Amino acid sequence: MSAMSKLDALDVSILKLLQQNGKRPYSEVAKLLEVSEGTIRSRINRMLNEKVFEFIIHMDPNKIGLQVQAIIGIATKLGYQEQVAMKLNQCREVRFVGVFSGRHDLILQAYFKNNEALVDFVNGELAQLEGIDTVDVSIELKQYKDSFSYIVNGEGHLEENSNGVRK
Amino acid sequence: MSAMSKLDALDVSILKLLQQNGKRPYSEVAKLLEVSEGTIRSRINRMLNEKVFEFIIHMDPNKIGLQVQAIIGIATKLGYQEQVAMKLNQCREVRFVGVFSGRHDLILQAYFKNNEALVDFVNGELAQLEGIDTVDVSIELKQYKDSFSYIVNGEGHLEENSNGVRK
DNA sequence: TTTGAAAAATGCGAAGC
DNA sequence: GCTTCGCATTTTTCAAA
């Protein structure tokens, strides 16, 4: 294992502020947490190195022309799970793939321009793959939540002890 | 509908560069696309206003102490779908909720500290909700892909005509 | 709308604590 | 590991094409 230091209260506080706005300046974070900008910068760079998080943009699929979202559950033949997952990995339409316990061996999330593109994907790319037993397609009708703020207040989830301010 | 102008080739080129790195400076994008920095900035600000995309950070759930990821399919009693979705929306553990066609009426994705927290969620919060028929829990064993780059090269998906450079 | 240049703010490296 | 302090870069602002 590489540099796998645990996050302390200050790190979590920084993430909590950045998850509200990925463009928030380091100096602003520093003021809010009452430490110097240099400290914020070194913490962020360390976390980026350790791949704790990354700066990205999140596009609204609808607004960029991807109107159809599907979640697809797949049952694979014994021994084919990894092979199928690797193939799906390479599909442009696929945003997410994982191996799961439960009813489906693999679950993936994919975006398409329209219904026709989805059908082409299922009957074309999926049908060609070896080792697939059954496919269960669910099409999104309405989205209620799609959040990236994993750090929340209140019991249960991750939370820093104090508010990250050193006394 | 508010300001719902269609994205042109330059907009798509900008998104394509930003999706590789959310911290890329506007001046660098401008150089690559051979327009002025001011143009990039005004395009980005317009898209931010229209909520085409947003700057966020993407955290690795494992690295911030959320070791268990689940996808949960729910069948609701007739007429309860929206009500249940709204409740799930408020749950801290829930990252994603949508109404779907197919086997499950609702599908949600949620992160937990450990298996115990997952069990508490299913037997506690979920069990309390009115209008749920069946619950199908799938636990992630291995993740293969979790991408946010929706704009890809090649046929099929969104793509700008040229490379966005004005002649 | 896009551009260009000046002002303000942010991010970065190095030295010292 | 945190801070301060110059310096380079970036973002913002605004007048003009």
Side-chain angles (χ1 to χ4, degrees):
Chain A
M1 201 133 292
S2 49
M4 199 41 214
S5 51
K6 200 113 188 71
L7 302 184
D8 70 6
L10 182 55
D11 293 326
V12 176
S13 292
I14 293 169
L15 292 174
K16 201 157 136 189
L17 290 171
L18 288 180
Q19 76 180 355
Q20 295 163 6
N21 170 13
K23 272 242 144 164
R24 183 167 268 174
Y26 298 175
S27 52
E28 186 186 324
V29 175
K31 247 175 253 151
L32 288 168
L33 299 180
E34 299 177 33
V35 291
S36 76
E37 181 272 339
T39 301
I40 300 298
R41 180 159 31 100
S42 68
R43 295 299 191 106
I44 287 178
N45 286 333
R46 179 176 49 70
M47 289 194 279
L48 289 173
N49 272 333
E50 293 172 4
K51 300 207 195 308
V52 172
F53 79 99
E54 55 183 351
F55 290 100
I56 67 167
I57 64 170
H58 182 229
M59 296 173 260
D60 180 338
N62 293 321
K63 299 254 170 74
I64 60 169
L66 298 169
Q67 307 292 343
V68 177
Q69 180 182 151
I71 289 181
I72 302 178
I74 296 177
T76 55
K77 293 200 205 315
L78 216 57
Y80 278 90
Q81 202 175 73
E82 174 138 5
Q83 183 181 318
V84 173
M86 298 293 262
K87 286 284 188 182
L88 292 171
N89 211 326
Q90 294 163 23
C91 293
R92 290 173 288 99
E93 299 89 346
V94 174
R95 189 199 86 65
F96 174 92
V97 198
V99 173
F100 282 79
S101 79
R103 183 190 294 278
H104 304 108
D105 301 316
L106 298 174
I107 298 179
L108 63 98
Q109 187 179 27
Y111 294 131
F112 305 91
K113 257 194 310 211
N114 49 40
N115 287 324
E116 196 185 332
L118 165 59
V119 172
D120 286 353
F121 174 75
V122 175
N123 291 333
E125 313 210 36
L126 275 191
Q128 278 184 6
L129 294 182
E130 295 279 337
I132 291 186
D133 252 344
T134 65
V135 173
D136 224 334
V137 179
S138 295
I139 298 178
E140 186 183 271
L141 304 176
K142 179 170 181 180
Q143 192 168 93
Y144 279 90
K145 186 174 189 176
D146 193 17
S147 160
F148 295 93
S149 298
Y150 304 153
I151 301 181
V152 288
N153 291 320
E155 348 65 66
H157 254 199
L158 250 203
E159 191 185 11
E160 69 279 38
N161 311 336
S162 71
N163 56 357
V165 179
R166 293 177 319 149
K167 293 291 152 51
Chain B
M1 205 132 290
S2 50
M4 199 43 214
S5 51
K6 200 111 187 74
L7 303 184
D8 70 6
L10 181 56
D11 292 326
V12 176
S13 293
I14 293 169
L15 291 174
K16 202 158 135 188
L17 290 171
L18 287 180
Q19 77 180 353
Q20 295 163 8
N21 169 14
K23 270 245 147 162
R24 182 169 270 178
Y26 298 175
S27 53
E28 186 186 324
V29 176
K31 247 176 250 149
L32 289 167
L33 299 179
E34 298 179 32
V35 292
S36 77
E37 183 272 341
T39 302
I40 300 298
R41 181 160 26 90
S42 66
R43 295 298 192 106
I44 287 178
N45 286 333
R46 180 176 50 70
M47 289 194 279
L48 289 173
N49 273 332
E50 293 172 3
K51 300 208 194 307
V52 172
F53 79 98
E54 54 183 352
F55 290 100
I56 66 166
I57 65 170
H58 181 228
M59 295 173 261
D60 180 336
N62 292 322
K63 300 252 171 75
I64 60 168
L66 298 169
Q67 307 290 346
V68 177
Q69 181 183 148
I71 289 181
I72 302 178
I74 295 178
T76 54
K77 294 200 205 312
L78 216 56
Y80 279 90
Q81 202 174 72
E82 173 139 4
Q83 183 182 319
V84 173
M86 298 293 262
K87 287 285 190 183
L88 291 170
N89 210 326
Q90 294 163 24
C91 293
R92 290 173 289 101
E93 299 89 347
V94 174
R95 189 199 85 67
F96 173 93
V97 197
V99 173
F100 282 79
S101 79
R103 182 190 295 275
H104 303 109
D105 301 316
L106 298 174
I107 298 179
L108 63 97
Q109 187 178 28
Y111 294 131
F112 305 91
K113 258 194 311 211
N114 48 41
N115 287 323
E116 196 185 333
L118 165 60
V119 171
D120 287 350
F121 175 75
V122 175
N123 292 333
E125 312 211 34
L126 275 191
Q128 277 184 7
L129 293 182
E130 293 281 334
I132 291 186
D133 252 345
T134 66
V135 173
D136 224 336
V137 179
S138 295
I139 298 178
E140 186 182 270
L141 304 176
K142 180 171 180 181
Q143 191 167 93
Y144 279 90
K145 186 175 189 175
D146 193 18
S147 159
F148 295 93
S149 298
Y150 303 153
I151 302 180
V152 288
N153 291 320
E155 350 66 68
H157 254 198
L158 251 203
E159 190 184 13
E160 68 277 37
N161 311 335
S162 70
N163 56 359
V165 179
R166 294 178 317 150
K167 294 289 152 51

